[in-house]
Amino acid sequence: MNNPNVFQIVGHKNTGKTRVLSHLITYAQQAGDAVSVIKHHGHTTSLETSSKSPDSQRLHKSGSFMTTVHSPDALQFDMEHKGSVTLEHVLSFYSYFNPDIILIEGYKHKHYPKLLIIRNEEDLSLLNELTNVKGVICWSTDLVKNDQLPVFQMNEIEVQLPHIYKLIKEGGCY
């Protein structure tokens, strides 16, 4: 097992977290890094079973709390729990597969290094509320004037990926 860089991408709903993650995953993969992602689903609604296999869905519906579909080239893992699995448990599980980088979408109040996405003025309060913010991505150049943190522009995200990637590689922890 290696010690992957763990880094969060956080912000309120509809700020562009998945957009940024998609660009970062592609960039890091092209740089030769194995990237994994944990996405926070903060709602109490059930998640859909990831496997479309009728057998897997049947086993899940029969009451199996954990179902895994394993093939020579893929692994699909579904598990239902009642709050007993923490982010730290998931990180530990992921680490067995030796990723170079684990990106986390959400969990904004966790302590891991993070990039904060700010879309509008209402989001600015997160700068004071959150810990371990290593950089900011904003939608407007007028929103954030900060000489303590690197500030990136959402409309230039593809051009700024090398800088963001370097921040993740140097600032990520596990």
Side-chain angles (χ1 to χ4, degrees), residues 118 124 127 136-138 140-146 151 153:
I118 295 178
L124 289 172
L127 274 170
V136 177
I137 299 173
C138 61
S140 169
T141 55
D142 297 334
L143 281 175
V144 178
K145 307 287 188 220
N146 191 318
V151 178
Q153 302 301 314

Side-chain angles (χ1 to χ4, degrees), residues 30-144:
Q30 289 172 348
D33 282 325
V35 182
S36 59
V37 176
I38 300 169
K39 181 175 174 33
H40 185 234
H41 180 75
H43 312 287
T44 56
T45 57
S46 295
L47 300 176
E48 292 182 22
T49 304
S50 63
S51 175
K52 301 292 184 211
S53 162
D55 290 345
S56 298
Q57 290 179 356
R58 182 176 179 187
L59 296 171
H60 184 76
K61 287 180 182 177
S62 294
S64 174
F65 81 96
M66 186 181 336
T67 306
T68 303
V69 179
H70 182 240
S71 74
D73 298 325
L75 178 72
Q76 291 178 330
F77 181 81
D78 285 300
M79 179 178 165
E80 287 190 20
H81 64 89
K82 303 295 181 209
S84 61
V85 177
T86 65
L87 174 60
E88 287 68 28
H89 288 123
V90 179
L91 286 166
S92 179
F93 176 75
Y94 270 44
S95 68
Y96 284 103
F97 299 97
N98 295 315
D100 297 305
I101 299 171
I102 300 175
L103 297 173
I104 302 171
E105 180 178 335
Y107 291 99
K108 63 180 150 271
H109 293 287
K110 291 293 185 177
H111 65 278
Y112 299 101
K114 59 186 62 77
L115 276 171
L116 171 61
I117 302 177
I118 295 178
R119 186 175 193 109
N120 54 45
E121 284 189 34
E122 292 79 41
D123 298 339
L124 289 172
S125 63
L126 291 174
L127 274 170
N128 296 321
E129 184 181 323
L130 303 181
T131 61
N132 216 356
V133 176
K134 300 295 184 185
V136 177
I137 299 173
C138 61
W139 283 81
S140 169
T141 55
D142 297 334
L143 281 175
V144 178

